[in-house]
Amino acid sequence: MVSKRLSREAGHKRKFLAIVDETPECERAIAYAGHRAKSTGGSLVLLFVIDSKDFQQWLGVEQIMREEARTAASAALDGQASKVRETIGIEPELVIREGLPVEEIHKLIEEDQDIAILVLAAGNAKEGPGPLVSSIAGKSAAFPIPVTVVPQNLSDEDIESLA
């Protein structure tokens, strides 16, 4: 169960959540979420989750890996935020979390009661649409808010007209 969404209350805005990762389709989700936020008077949250299972090393090595991952996450978020500012004209909120991606998405949704829509993009690889989109079908990974799945093959013009 998810806590009550506050995005319709006075002083609150509906937030669209998009995930930043290394997949080529993430830019499609960010573009759609950004345009949708702008066209509806909402705002955009960009989340990068550093997968904690990557840090199973000796303590000194683990700390270095963790710092490098945080630096890479900041750079990825900053790059996407710059694109959003330049192409859409809104200022996104940037969030970095460490843990298992689906769990951290759930936690952020629970903590930020203005997040009302999760926007993901489906890849077109033969392996499937991508791990997050695939997890939507899983019983335990179902998200507690509506999820919009954007096809990777939509052009910028298509996304802008749909949002």
Side-chain angles (χ1 to χ4, degrees), residues 1-160:
M1 180 112 195
V2 71
S3 60
K4 181 181 181 218
R5 302 290 88 190
L6 300 177
S7 57
R8 299 284 186 194
E9 304 281 325
H12 293 269
K13 279 185 173 182
R14 178 177 12 173
K15 292 181 180 179
F16 292 82
L17 173 61
I19 311 305
V20 177
D21 56 23
E22 286 83 30
T23 62
E25 62 268 15
C26 90
E27 288 192 10
R28 303 290 76 208
I30 294 166
Y32 180 84
H35 282 291
R36 189 85 175 106
K38 184 175 182 177
S39 70
T40 62
S43 62
L44 173 64
V45 178
L46 299 179
L47 170 65
F48 192 105
V49 179
I50 300 168
D51 197 334
S52 62
K53 67 182 176 201
D54 294 339
F55 306 125
Q56 309 278 327
Q57 305 293 324
W58 295 94
L59 187 58
V61 174
E62 178 182 330
Q63 185 62 30
I64 292 168
M65 290 175 68
R66 192 171 257 117
E67 288 172 14
E68 288 173 350
R70 187 160 282 282
T71 300
S74 290
L77 282 171
D78 289 343
Q80 293 299 332
S82 281
K83 289 178 187 175
V84 167
R85 283 184 214 105
E86 291 169 17
T87 60
I88 304 171
I90 62 172
E91 184 63 39
E93 178 181 337
L94 308 179
V95 179
I96 297 175
R97 294 287 183 104
E98 184 180 317
L100 298 175
V102 171
E103 289 178 11
E104 293 304 317
I105 294 167
H106 277 275
K107 286 179 188 176
L108 181 59
I109 291 168
E110 185 60 33
E111 292 167 15
D112 188 339
Q113 292 176 288
D114 289 339
I115 296 175
I117 306 284
L118 172 61
V119 180
L120 302 174
N124 56 10
K126 64 182 178 212
E127 296 85 27
L132 285 176
V133 173
S134 295
S135 72
I136 294 171
K139 292 181 264 181
S140 64
F143 292 101
I145 58 174
V147 178
T148 299
V149 179
V150 179
Q152 180 185 0
N153 62 347
L154 289 180
S155 69
D156 289 339
E157 294 79 24
D158 292 336
I159 286 175
E160 197 168 345

